[in-house]
């Protein structure tokens, strides 16, 4: 279990997803302003009654922005104003049928607007419930960052390419085990719901095996077996098989870190104003161990106190500028050395989006920083 966890401030989902209705004072002021405008135009044009046709659509606009009570008020006000104007200010000898039709149309549109507002708010509440459920699932699937253990502080940025999804094909996790803090970052082949299913399989296996297996090689074998099992289920349902590139790192009280690279992007080490890439053997992705000519091996590299590891997926490294140039991670990372480790993932991600120019993401993005905790 994580020893101490720093949580992000909670943000109410309705402030993010629901349409924020105007205040009652703003509603009254807006209605009076529109009514005054219609009245003024009517006086200037000499056809006041017929300009009321503009006013009767006011409840329809309110139904898309206001609460049900506010829409009822606007519909009632509009009906009252139109009726009084038709009865009191209509020119003598006018056609009463046209005036009655205008009043009836006002009442009908008001009633329809109130009903539409009620339906809109119902849909919004249902969407908020779904989003709340999805957010709760995400918190259990992908732990909120930052995460603090006795060995490291892990922070990061995670953004699926499809913004309406909370989980994509990129994965990460942190487990504080009896053998040190174990960090996983990975990337499932492909996109879509099938990729998400493989991501769930790997994360679940990591959380269980990281506490059970004393060695990284045994842990990786367990992760590979989980992908193989997932692929067997996928084959039965007609889905494509997937493999998963992954980097599994273990940090303990020693001066070095252990790592197994399963076909993933190697980490960058930031220390003493320099950025280096540890020399690592690259094995096969998870799910393809049977094709490997060599068994899984563990690499070691220096990870001194106060240094930071930067872990990424190819959503960052394969970001391209308009001319097709890939995002130069090492070069840009050198320019971000004055940024704190907790802010570095966001700074890199925003810099990559600026580098791409079009503002569009073409793949899931995960960027983690693993900061070695100083020890007394």
């Amino acid at each position: 279990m994580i020893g101490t966890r720093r949580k992000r401030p909670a943000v109410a989902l309705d402030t993010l997803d629901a349409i924020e209705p105007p205040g009652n004072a703003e509603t009254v002021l807006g209605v009076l302003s529109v009514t005054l405008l219609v009245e003024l135009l009517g006086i200037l044009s000499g056809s006041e009654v017929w300009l009321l046709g503009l006013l009767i659509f006011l409840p329809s606009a309110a139904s898309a922005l206001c609460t049900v009570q506010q829409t009822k008020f606007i519909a009632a006000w509009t009906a009252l104003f139109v009726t009084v104007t038709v009865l009191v200010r209509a020119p003598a000898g006018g056609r009463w049928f046209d005036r009655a039709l205008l009043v009836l149309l006002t009442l009908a549109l008001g009633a329809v607007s109130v009903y539409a507002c009620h339906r809109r708010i119902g849909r919004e509440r249902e969407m908020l419930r779904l989003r709340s459920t999805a957010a709760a699932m995400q918190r259990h699937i992908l732990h909120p960052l930052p995460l603090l253990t006795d060995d490291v502080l892990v922070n990061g940025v995670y953004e699926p390419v499809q913004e309406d999804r909370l989980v994509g094909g990129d994965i990460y996790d942190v487990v504080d085990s009896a053998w040190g803090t174990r960090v996983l970052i990975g990337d499932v082949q492909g996109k879509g719901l099938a990729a998400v299913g493989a991501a769930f399989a790997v994360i679940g296996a990591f959380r269980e095996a990281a506490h059970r297996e004393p060695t990284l090689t045994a842990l990786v074998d367990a992760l590979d077996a989980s992908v193989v099992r997932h692929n067997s289920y996928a084959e039965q349902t007609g889905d494509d098989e997937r493999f998963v590139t992954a980097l599994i790192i273990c940090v303990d009280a020693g001066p070095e870190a252990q790592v197994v690279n399963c076909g993933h992007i190697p980490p960058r080490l930031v220390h003493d104003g320099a950025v280096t890439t540890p020399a690592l053997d690259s094995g096969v992705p998870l799910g393809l161990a049977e094709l490997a000519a060599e068994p899984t091996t563990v690499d070691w590299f220096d990870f001194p106190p106060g240094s930071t590891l930067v872990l990424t997926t190819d959503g960052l490294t394969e970001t391209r500028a308009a001319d097709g140039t890939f995002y130069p991670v090492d070069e840009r990372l050198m320019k971000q050395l004055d940024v704190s480790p907790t802010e570095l993932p966001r700074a890199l991600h925003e810099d990559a989006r600026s580098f791409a120019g079009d503002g569009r993401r073409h793949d899931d993005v995960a960027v983690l920083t693993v900061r070695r905790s100083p020890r007394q």
Side-chain angles (χ1 to χ4, degrees):
M1 299 295 292
I2 301 299
T4 305
R5 182 176 299 170
R6 297 180 184 176
K7 295 185 179 179
R8 296 174 293 182
V11 179
L13 286 172
D14 54 359
T15 63
L16 298 175
D17 299 288
I19 297 176
E20 186 70 21
N24 292 334
E26 294 174 319
T27 301
V28 173
L29 182 60
V31 170
L32 293 179
S33 299
V34 173
T35 304
L36 205 58
L37 177 62
V38 171
E39 182 79 1
L40 180 60
L41 291 175
I43 293 173
L44 294 176
S45 65
S47 58
E48 183 178 10
V49 172
W50 306 118
L51 276 172
L52 294 176
L54 298 176
L55 192 62
I56 67 175
F57 293 104
L58 186 58
S60 299
S63 68
L65 301 172
C66 299
T67 65
V68 173
Q69 294 301 321
Q70 290 171 341
T71 304
K72 287 180 179 179
F73 164 74
I74 294 172
W77 169 266
T78 304
L80 178 63
F81 187 83
V82 169
T83 302
V84 170
T85 303
V86 166
L87 294 178
V88 176
R89 301 186 182 181
R95 296 178 58 186
W96 280 101
F97 175 78
D98 293 340
R99 302 173 203 169
L101 185 60
L102 182 60
V103 172
L104 290 175
L105 184 60
T106 303
L107 293 172
L109 285 178
V112 171
S113 299
V114 172
Y115 175 73
C117 181
H118 179 76
R119 290 291 302 272
R120 188 206 93 220
I121 291 179
R123 287 194 300 270
E124 284 184 2
R125 288 175 176 170
E126 181 63 25
M127 182 60 66
L128 289 176
R129 283 193 291 270
L130 292 174
R131 296 282 294 179
S132 178
T133 301
M137 291 178 61
Q138 185 194 37
R139 286 192 292 270
H140 288 284
I141 296 166
L142 296 175
H143 289 144
L145 298 171
L147 294 170
L148 178 66
T149 72
D150 292 337
D151 305 298
V152 295
L153 170 64
V154 181
N155 202 3
V157 171
Y158 180 85
E159 290 193 9
V161 65
Q162 295 176 307
E163 295 182 356
D164 59 333
R165 290 183 183 169
L166 296 177
V167 180
D170 286 0
I171 55 175
Y172 70 85
D173 204 5
V174 180
V175 170
D176 190 6
S177 74
W179 303 279
T181 300
R182 291 172 167 180
V183 181
L184 164 72
I185 187 170
D187 187 357
V188 180
Q189 173 204 16
K191 299 179 179 65
L193 293 178
V196 174
F200 290 174
V202 174
I203 291 175
F206 178 77
R207 289 178 181 167
E208 193 274 332
H211 289 288
R212 184 189 69 229
E213 302 296 346
T215 66
L216 283 192
T217 53
L219 172 57
V220 172
D221 289 343
L223 299 183
D224 182 84
S226 72
V227 177
V228 172
R229 285 193 299 270
H230 174 80
N231 284 337
S232 67
Y233 295 137
E235 185 179 7
Q236 295 174 11
T237 58
D239 293 331
D240 295 333
E241 295 184 356
R242 309 276 171 170
F243 62 80
V244 182
T245 67
L247 199 66
I248 301 95
I249 297 174
C250 182
V251 181
D252 55 21
E256 294 181 309
Q258 304 177 53
V259 60
V260 175
N261 186 358
C262 301
H264 197 74
I265 300 165
R268 270 75 174 179
L269 178 66
V270 180
H271 182 60
D272 286 342
V275 177
T276 59
T277 301
L280 307 176
D281 292 331
S282 181
V284 298
L286 300 175
L288 302 178
E290 292 183 353
L291 304 179
E294 301 291 337
T296 302
T297 57
V298 178
D299 289 305
W300 298 74
F301 63 91
D302 290 333
F303 190 24
S307 58
T308 301
L309 282 175
V310 179
L311 316 178
T312 72
T313 58
D314 59 11
L316 181 74
T317 59
E318 294 185 1
T319 298
R320 296 193 184 206
D323 61 359
T325 305
F326 286 103
Y327 180 69
V329 177
D330 293 333
E331 176 185 331
R332 296 299 182 116
L333 190 54
M334 285 294 298
K335 297 179 180 179
Q336 305 281 351
L337 294 181
D338 58 335
V339 179
S340 68
T342 55
E343 299 296 331
L344 183 57
R346 176 63 59 183
L348 277 176
H349 178 48
E350 291 178 353
D351 184 58
R353 297 190 69 168
S354 176
F355 178 83
D358 58 6
R360 294 176 297 175
R361 300 197 306 273
H362 303 285
D363 199 358
D364 301 328
V365 174
V367 183
L368 301 182
T369 53
V370 182
R371 177 76 169 178
R372 164 78 85 166
S373 299
R375 291 180 176 270
Q376 301 297 328

